[in-house]
Amino acid sequence: MLHETGMVFDIKHFAVHDGPGIRTTVFFKGCPLSCWWCHNPESKNPNPEKIEDPLKKLSETSKKCGKEIVGREVQVSEVLEELLKDVIFYDESGGGVTFSGGEPLMQPDFLSSLLKECKINGIHTCIDTSGYSSRQIIDVIINNVDLFLYDLKLVNNEDHEKYTGVGNEMIMQNLEYLCELQKPVIIRIPIIPGITETDDNILQLGEYISGLDCVLRVDLLPYNQMGEEKYRRLEKPYLLNNINPPSKERMFQIKEKLEVFNLKVKIGG
Ligand code: SF4
């Protein structure tokens, strides 16, 4: 079981915005979506890739081309070893591990093995997912996930397809399935000016989410421009050049609009 390997691009210790308490976040590489606002563009490609990295000290090989490789294959045992280092912090804070990405459900065998090992070791588990996955995969992992951080972006299917590259039907069906099984879910909405933050979309999201009885809270994640530089370093086009982050006032307005639906809403993760 522990010999299984997967592709990750980062493991972040002491994360406080990826679920309850102090957590270790494992970033899986590969995502079936292509959100225009994605601030982790290095997560999309499931394979290792070159990125220009002027901030880090480059290895001898990398110096020749001025680039580093992002993404590496790791074994379940290696990841588990990293997680076990932080158990004392999880216990003190009510934290645990969050499998994020990219899309963790794109590597179901690796994810499933990690989840099982976490359960054996008493580690609380979260998955940060777009929900774009087959039902079969959801069924394989569901019993070993304590909390789902579930991204919802756009209710209008055409808009969803335009801005993420895929439709939202399967995403919504999977969310409703989690609720049928009474799995706890925190919804995360990226607030992208002119795209997801429109009054129409917020109203539609509020109506939809309020019909789901497994949702503990809705987190509003304001757009930031942190990913822009990474697109340049990956030599990929950035499609949101002229968009500024939403103002604090606008974030509070959106929070209030969703609270009308009796939802518990938080700004930030
Ligand atoms: S689902 Fe998340 S990781 Fe995938 S492209 Fe969208 S923002 Fe990026």
Side-chain angles (χ1 to χ4, degrees), residues 120-173:
I120 290 169
N121 287 280
I123 298 174
H124 181 273
T125 55
C126 270
I127 290 194
D128 181 7
T129 179
S130 68
Y132 191 79
S133 170
S134 73
R135 181 66 53 81
Q136 252 179 330
I137 290 175
I138 304 268
D139 281 336
V140 167
I141 55 97
I142 194 165
N143 288 333
N144 289 320
V145 180
D146 294 314
L147 175 64
F148 285 83
L149 306 179
Y150 206 101
D151 296 355
L152 276 187
K153 301 165 175 86
L154 289 151
V155 174
N156 180 288
N157 196 37
E158 275 177 31
D159 288 344
H160 199 282
E161 210 164 327
K162 173 178 174 185
Y163 290 111
T164 74
V166 302
N168 59 15
E169 200 179 343
M170 189 159 68
I171 292 169
M172 287 167 146
Q173 283 171 357

Side-chain angles (χ1 to χ4, degrees), residues 78-91:
E78 280 177 75
V79 178
L80 187 65
E81 204 177 305
E82 286 296 308
L83 302 181
L84 291 174
K85 288 178 191 167
D86 293 343
V87 162
I88 187 164
F89 301 106
Y90 308 154
D91 291 347

Side-chain angles (χ1 to χ4, degrees), residues 9 28 30-41 43-44 100-103 128-131 151 153 163-164 190 231:
F9 68 93
F28 284 44
C31 183
L33 276 65
S34 287
C35 307
W36 286 25
W37 52 85
C38 182
H39 63 256
N40 284 331
S43 73
K44 293 184 192 177
S100 182
E103 174 52 68
D128 181 7
T129 179
S130 68
D151 296 355
K153 301 165 175 86
Y163 290 111
T164 74
Y231 283 81

Side-chain angles (χ1 to χ4, degrees), residues 134-263:
S134 73
R135 181 66 53 81
Q136 252 179 330
I137 290 175
I138 304 268
D139 281 336
V140 167
I141 55 97
I142 194 165
N143 288 333
N144 289 320
V145 180
D146 294 314
L147 175 64
F148 285 83
L149 306 179
Y150 206 101
D151 296 355
L152 276 187
K153 301 165 175 86
L154 289 151
V155 174
N156 180 288
N157 196 37
E158 275 177 31
D159 288 344
H160 199 282
E161 210 164 327
K162 173 178 174 185
Y163 290 111
T164 74
V166 302
N168 59 15
E169 200 179 343
M170 189 159 68
I171 292 169
M172 287 167 146
Q173 283 171 357
N174 283 335
L175 176 56
E176 289 155 26
Y177 181 62
L178 295 184
C179 285
E180 272 170 38
L181 299 179
Q182 292 297 304
K183 296 304 289 187
V185 171
I186 292 178
I187 299 288
R188 306 184 117 193
I189 306 175
I191 301 298
I192 316 299
I195 301 178
T196 63
E197 65 85 47
T198 63
D199 285 347
D200 275 357
N201 188 50
I202 296 300
L203 186 71
Q204 288 167 0
L205 282 168
E207 275 170 359
Y208 176 68
I209 298 167
S210 63
L212 303 167
D213 61 5
C214 63
V215 175
L216 305 177
R217 198 178 73 214
V218 177
D219 289 350
L220 303 178
L221 309 179
Y223 167 69
N224 66 63
Q225 292 154 317
M226 287 190 310
E228 194 172 346
E229 172 66 5
K230 289 191 204 168
Y231 283 81
R232 188 194 61 73
R233 285 159 48 202
L234 282 163
E235 295 172 7
K236 289 182 176 169
Y238 187 63
L239 300 172
L240 295 186
N241 276 320
N242 298 317
I243 291 191
N244 291 315
S247 65
K248 275 188 187 162
E249 292 73 25
R250 181 59 182 151
M251 291 303 294
F252 279 108
Q253 273 176 8
I254 293 171
K255 182 173 183 281
E256 281 172 10
K257 282 179 192 291
L258 289 171
E259 282 169 342
V260 168
F261 293 94
N262 286 325
L263 297 168

